[in-house]
Amino acid sequence: MATRVGTVAFFEIVRAKDAMNARMQHSNWQSFLTTLERTPAAERICTHRSDSFIGQAVRYGDRLHLLVGRIGTSELQTVDLDHGHIEDIRLEGNKGTIDTTTVSFLDYGNVVGILQGKPGSPRAAAIQRWLNSCHIADNDIALWPVIANNVWEKLQKATAVHSFEFSYRPSPAIAPPEGEGLASLVRTGDERYPDHRISLKIEVPRKDGPGPVARLRGQRRLQSDIQSLMTELGYLENPTGVERARALVTLTDREGDTNDEPLDFIMHHITAKCRVEVSSAGGRPRYEANVAAIMQVAHDKQRDLKAAVSGEQ
């Protein structure tokens, strides 16, 4: 059986517009997927800029899972390996090509496991946008990477954010991060220097810099920008994406004492390499192998995942 190597990345569904109280009570996402099964195709399509995405609820075992696909416009070709003939694929009727990402909702913490089919398949940001277009919740949601060692909570609770280091190697197969702030700087660098490593270091001076009001404003802006940029971590890690993402923050302990602490987002983002079946022998849908891979990794990482979304380490 042929296999490919993929990366399962885990994200937490949170409130998009309430960073200080982002976590939600666990929701019944199976109910959303059950409704999605009955939703007409036209209502499952979301268009952003020049890309269109469609989602579909699929069943594996006794649970529903989600496929989100980028609808392609490229012309596909095949090759006859016996004779060396290259031919165009001609699709009949109103059909097109699509690159899909598989999403599985876990039973705790509003956690989802995500596995791309190809490098160009939808990433977390596109899936987040599609979920919001379908009104998955009463208010907009965001997908935050599940980060162990309380790194995410430490960023939210930091009394000051002093610096952030970010190193990124653009890949032609992966669109640059969207959004404003740091994401816009990364996107501009990606367009201008597509074949080179891009490194950023932003520091908010503690002394000999702006006054206390301006310093606090800069720290809060940097804290927000880091949070926004980190939502793109799911498919930007090595070997072709983010190589470094570190912040230096000040935290206050229970006794009221303050200490500086470095946060490493790459090191603690919960992901795992896995092998996924490529062929669909016996008519088995390809997504079933993806779901099986996600659920196996989720089982292996269960302790770390639960600790990360409960705030306990």
Side-chain angles (χ1 to χ4, degrees), residues 77-279:
Q77 295 178 308
T78 60
V79 58
D80 183 332
L81 297 178
D82 291 328
H83 302 93
H85 296 158
I86 298 174
E87 300 177 347
D88 294 337
I89 293 180
R90 294 176 175 83
L91 301 175
E92 299 179 355
N94 188 22
K95 295 183 179 180
T97 60
I98 192 167
D99 295 326
T100 60
T101 295
T102 305
V103 183
S104 293
F105 295 76
L106 306 189
D107 288 332
Y108 52 86
N110 297 319
V111 176
V112 296
I114 297 178
L115 177 59
Q116 278 184 302
K118 297 179 180 179
S121 299
R123 291 181 289 131
I127 293 168
Q128 172 183 309
R129 192 162 43 245
W130 182 86
L131 289 171
N132 282 322
S133 76
C134 294
H135 307 289
I136 187 175
D138 293 337
N139 298 299
D140 283 354
I141 59 94
L143 294 181
W144 282 2
V146 178
I147 300 185
N149 200 33
N150 276 339
V151 170
W152 196 254
E153 287 75 15
K154 289 174 181 177
L155 174 65
Q156 307 309 309
K157 295 177 181 179
T159 57
V161 180
H162 304 291
S163 66
F164 181 62
E165 295 181 69
F166 185 79
S167 182
Y168 172 66
R169 186 183 294 277
S171 168
I174 302 176
E178 298 183 0
E180 302 175 350
L182 292 177
S184 66
L185 294 177
V186 173
R187 184 171 62 253
T188 301
D190 184 274
E191 295 167 351
R192 191 171 180 85
Y193 302 102
D195 301 316
H196 304 278
R197 180 187 290 110
I198 300 165
S199 296
L200 300 172
K201 184 173 183 179
I202 299 176
E203 294 182 278
V204 179
R206 300 175 190 243
K207 299 179 180 179
D208 302 326
V213 175
R215 185 182 304 117
L216 179 60
R217 183 169 59 246
Q219 290 175 339
R220 293 308 180 198
R221 183 179 296 130
L222 182 56
Q223 184 179 36
S224 176
D225 282 348
I226 295 171
Q227 174 184 302
S228 176
L229 186 60
M230 288 304 95
T231 62
E232 292 282 348
L233 269 180
Y235 299 111
L236 291 181
E237 296 183 15
N238 284 333
T240 58
V242 175
E243 299 174 343
R244 175 178 297 181
R246 300 174 182 170
L248 179 65
V249 305
T250 294
L251 297 169
T252 303
D253 61 24
R254 295 179 180 178
E255 286 72 34
D257 297 326
T258 59
N259 297 284
D260 288 351
E261 184 170 338
L263 305 181
D264 193 320
F265 296 91
I266 294 294
M267 179 183 296
H268 296 294
H269 183 202
I270 300 179
T271 65
K273 298 285 187 182
C274 61
R275 289 197 170 274
V276 186
E277 294 179 6
V278 173
S279 62

